[in-house]
């Protein structure tokens, strides 16, 4: 595919903005996770499992975490030792299925409750400054990019998990 300089420029610009914003968000979350003595990669696994109420297999978990299976397995091993996840054999000997323990579920729920009532995450404060119309367009564009680059399953998970947060906060208000 022949690209113009403008297309490459646009791709680079999108990448650089996303990468920079991602770094700020991760650093903010890392600060909050010190309270739980948990790494960001481990919390990411717990977060995904929190919104997937059924057992999830390692491949799907790796896909949603956007990392390789060996990284996921390493995190899961630590989380299992801490009593936050359960790892079971899947339908055949080559697969593993994973779910949260009650302790893992409570940890993520506490994080959500803390950040829906009084968040110190810079992204939350910044998004509050954006109009609903602009934010809606932003999500529309990012959904298009996500579906194109990561697949619809990833976007579906994001929609499901964000709606669960919204519905929980509406029900408790």
């Amino acid at each position: 595919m022949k690209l113009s300089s403008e297309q490459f420029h646009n791709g680079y610009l999108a990448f650089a903005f996303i990468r920079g914003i991602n770094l700020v968000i991760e650093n903010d979350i890392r600060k909050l996770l010190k309270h739980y003595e948990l790494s960001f990669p481990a919390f990411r696994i717990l977060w995904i499992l929190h919104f997937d109420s059924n057992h999830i297999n390692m491949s799907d978990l790796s896909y949603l975490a956007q990392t390789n299976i060996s990284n996921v397995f390493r995190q899961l091993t630590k989380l299992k030792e801490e009593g936050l996840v359960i790892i079971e054999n899947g339908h055949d000997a080559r697969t593993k299925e994973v779910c949260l323990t009650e302790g893992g579920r409570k940890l993520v729920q506490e994080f959500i409750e803390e950040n829906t009532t009084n968040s110190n995450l810079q992204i939350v404060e910044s998004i509050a400054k954006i109009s609903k119309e602009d934010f809606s367009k932003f999500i529309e564009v990012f959904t298009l990019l996500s579906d194109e680059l990561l697949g619809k399953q990833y976007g579906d998970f994001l929609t499901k998990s964000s709606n669960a947060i919204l519905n929980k906060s509406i029900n408790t208000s």
Side-chain angles (χ1 to χ4, degrees), residues 2 16 26 33 40 45 49 63 67 69 76-77 92 95 97-98 111-112 115 117 122 129 131 143-145 168:
K2 185 160 170 51
E26 278 192 28
L33 292 176
F40 180 81
I45 298 298
L49 293 172
Y63 167 74
T67 191
I69 287 180
L76 285 172
T77 300
D92 67 45
T95 62
E97 292 185 347
V98 186
F111 182 89
I112 292 169
N115 285 283
T117 56
Q122 295 176 70
K129 299 173 187 174
S131 73
T143 298
L144 182 132
L145 288 171
K168 175 74 174 155

Side-chain angles (χ1 to χ4, degrees), residues 28-40 42-43 46-47 79 82 84 103-115:
D28 277 358
I29 293 172
R30 286 176 203 278
K31 288 175 194 170
L32 295 175
L33 292 176
K34 285 182 182 178
H35 165 76
Y36 300 99
E37 298 179 5
L38 200 60
S39 70
F40 180 81
F43 181 72
L46 294 177
W47 183 268
L79 292 168
E82 294 171 18
L84 299 171
R105 187 162 308 286
K106 283 181 181 178
L107 188 148
V108 176
Q109 192 57 45
E110 182 179 315
F111 182 89
I112 292 169
E113 289 171 7
E114 179 182 316
N115 285 283

Side-chain angles (χ1 to χ4, degrees), residues 122-156:
Q122 295 176 70
I123 189 69
V124 174
E125 295 171 19
S126 296
I127 287 175
K129 299 173 187 174
I130 301 171
S131 73
K132 285 187 178 187
E133 296 80 23
D134 287 346
F135 187 71
S136 180
K137 187 64 176 171
F138 174 82
I139 294 300
E140 181 182 325
V141 169
F142 272 83
T143 298
L144 182 132
L145 288 171
S146 176
D147 287 354
E148 179 77 21
L149 298 172
L150 302 170
K152 188 154 175 35
Q153 179 186 358
Y154 189 78
D156 290 347

Side-chain angles (χ1 to χ4, degrees), residues 116 164-173:
T116 54
I165 293 168
L166 181 61
N167 292 334
K168 175 74 174 155
S169 66
I170 289 172
N171 293 335
T172 58
S173 299

